[in-house]
Amino acid sequence: MNLPSKVKIVDVGPRDGLQNEKTQVPAAVKIELVHRLQDAGLTEIEVTSFVSPKWVPQMADAAEVMAGITRKPGVRYSVLTPNMKGFEAALLSRPDEIVVFAAASEAFSQRNINCSIAESIERFRPVAEAARANNIYVRGAISCAVGCPYEGEIAPERVAMVARLLKEIGVQHIGVADTIGVGTPVKVERAMEAALQHYGVDDISGHFHDTYGQALGNTLVSLQMGIWQYDTSSAGLGGCPYAKGATGNVATEDVVYMLQGMGIDTGIDLDKLIDAGKFISDYLDRKPNSRAATALLNKRAG
Ligand code: HMG
Ligand code: MG
């Protein structure tokens, strides 16, 4: 097997993980989660979204959360910005990276950001330009890269098309996202191949929700293709408010456990990571949605 020797994990728990929570999580708890993640060795944290509070009320405290973080040198903090209004608000928070989020499905684009794919690209164009003029890195997400809750299976050509459009407007890195976790390894491989038509292997990441328990398999197949960057969520928190029934991203703990077992360096302290996941799970009054965390917590207790 030809595998990368190092993997970069972006913990999206504070954003993707919490955005779907019905009860408002206080900014102080979100900030504490970010602090615990950086203490565990995460160097990339997706903190929040500058989106409409009417659409995603949980992210209404974006500025407060960003302002409350004690920044750790070497850690990069990213935020979602769907349009110029979001970017202008985000800019005051000095993110290292912004994320524009497109979809490979027209129906999902409409439900999630209230416009067509083509319109979304036109909204992202000035965002990408302004970000780059301010020395902020620009990442793009391609939602529903293998399946859509409204359109069903998505052809790899759709992923290639959106990747091309994002490339044309200056997006520097793309995440291939299985928003509803329906992907299986061969389908994910095809979606990655489509993305690779427009971006190099160093500029693509995997973003796998684990609804059907396929995310580790999808991560492994992507690793074998040389993809070495992944979005994961501590304690497996999350889901997208516009993708009903979809559960969280693959748990950071599960991915780190797998990578460590394969001798792949992540720079993350698994014990501290488990504590971070336990912290937020305790706050939400539920068990961590991670097999590795559950097993290791049981081992600690016993
Ligand atoms: P819209 O209603 O079409 O926007 O929403 P609009 O431009 O017509 O404005 C309507 C109102 O929203 C106005 O306020 C604007 O000021 C306000 P009003 O005059 O009615 O009081 N507004 C904003 N407020 C704050 N921040 C902003 C902003 N923009 C407009 N940035 C919009 C369009 C994109 C804003 C809306 O659809 C939205 O916020 N969508 C966000 C949806 C979202 O956050 N989804 C979850 C994240 S994506 C995801 O989870 C997938 C991912 O994880 C990858 C994967 O798994 O697939 C990334
Ligand atoms: Mg997601």
Side-chain angles (χ1 to χ4, degrees):
M1 263 198 250
N2 198 10
L3 295 166
S5 57
K6 244 190 198 172
V7 158
K8 188 176 91 181
I9 303 269
V10 181
D11 198 293
V12 299
R15 194 283 300 172
D16 205 341
L18 293 178
Q19 70 182 7
N20 209 25
E21 286 300 323
K22 297 289 166 277
T23 311
Q24 193 63 32
V25 177
V29 172
K30 295 170 178 167
I31 292 163
E32 172 75 16
L33 174 60
V34 170
H35 288 164
R36 284 174 179 259
L37 290 171
Q38 62 193 19
D39 287 346
L42 266 301
T43 55
E44 301 269 342
I45 303 173
E46 197 173 275
V47 178
T48 186
S49 307
F50 287 85
V51 296
S52 162
K54 285 183 195 140
W55 285 66
V56 186
Q58 187 60 250
M59 297 284 109
D61 58 4
E64 189 186 347
V65 173
M66 283 297 281
I69 293 169
T70 304
R71 296 199 187 195
K72 186 176 167 190
V75 177
R76 298 175 71 253
Y77 305 90
S78 54
V79 302
L80 269 57
T81 56
N83 53 21
M84 277 309 285
K85 187 175 171 90
F87 176 76
E88 277 156 13
L91 188 57
L92 304 171
S93 296
R94 299 181 298 108
D96 298 290
E97 180 170 310
I98 54 108
V99 185
V100 292
F101 42 110
S105 142
E106 278 297 346
F108 188 78
S109 183
Q110 288 291 350
R111 303 278 178 118
N112 195 41
I113 51 175
N114 206 26
C115 63
S116 68
I117 297 170
E119 284 163 344
S120 76
I121 297 295
E122 289 318 310
R123 287 183 190 178
F124 301 154
R125 188 188 299 277
V127 174
E129 262 170 32
R132 294 192 65 174
N134 282 281
N135 265 322
I136 298 171
Y137 198 80
V138 183
R139 175 152 59 93
I142 304 180
S143 288
C144 299
V146 284
C148 166
Y150 313 107
E151 291 182 13
E153 202 150 321
I154 297 293
E157 291 72 30
R158 308 285 301 170
V159 176
M161 178 199 76
V162 178
R164 176 176 57 76
L165 295 171
L166 291 172
K167 182 97 199 182
E168 280 169 12
I169 61 166
V171 171
Q172 293 162 282
H173 178 110
I174 51 168
V176 173
D178 182 7
T179 313
I180 55 172
V182 290
T184 43
V186 173
K187 286 181 191 165
V188 166
E189 188 178 5
R190 290 193 186 124
M192 286 296 180
E193 278 165 359
L196 281 161
Q197 290 174 27
H198 300 285
Y199 283 85
V201 73
D202 296 333
D203 298 319
I204 299 178
S205 50
H207 177 113
F208 306 129
H209 286 258
D210 202 24
T211 318
Y212 289 84
Q214 302 301 301
L216 285 180
N218 294 336
T219 303
L220 182 57
V221 80
S222 305
L223 283 167
Q224 287 169 330
M225 299 176 77
I227 305 288
W228 56 278
Q229 298 172 86
Y230 297 91
D231 297 346
T232 63
S233 179
S234 50
L237 295 172
C240 174
Y242 298 98
K244 255 201 165 29
T247 63
N249 295 82
V250 64
T252 310
E253 295 91 321
D254 290 350
V255 173
V256 169
Y257 180 85
M258 179 178 89
L259 294 171
Q260 282 188 355
M262 294 167 75
I264 298 175
D265 181 28
T266 62
I268 295 169
D269 179 327
L270 184 55
D271 271 322
K272 285 189 174 174
L273 176 66
I274 286 172
D275 291 338
K278 176 116 178 37
F279 160 77
I280 190 65
S281 301
D282 284 348
Y283 175 81
L284 296 169
D285 199 19
R286 66 179 75 130
K287 298 252 182 283
N289 191 14
S290 155
R291 302 285 278 265
T294 304
L296 290 166
L297 285 167
N298 286 342
K299 205 169 169 184
R300 274 190 202 170

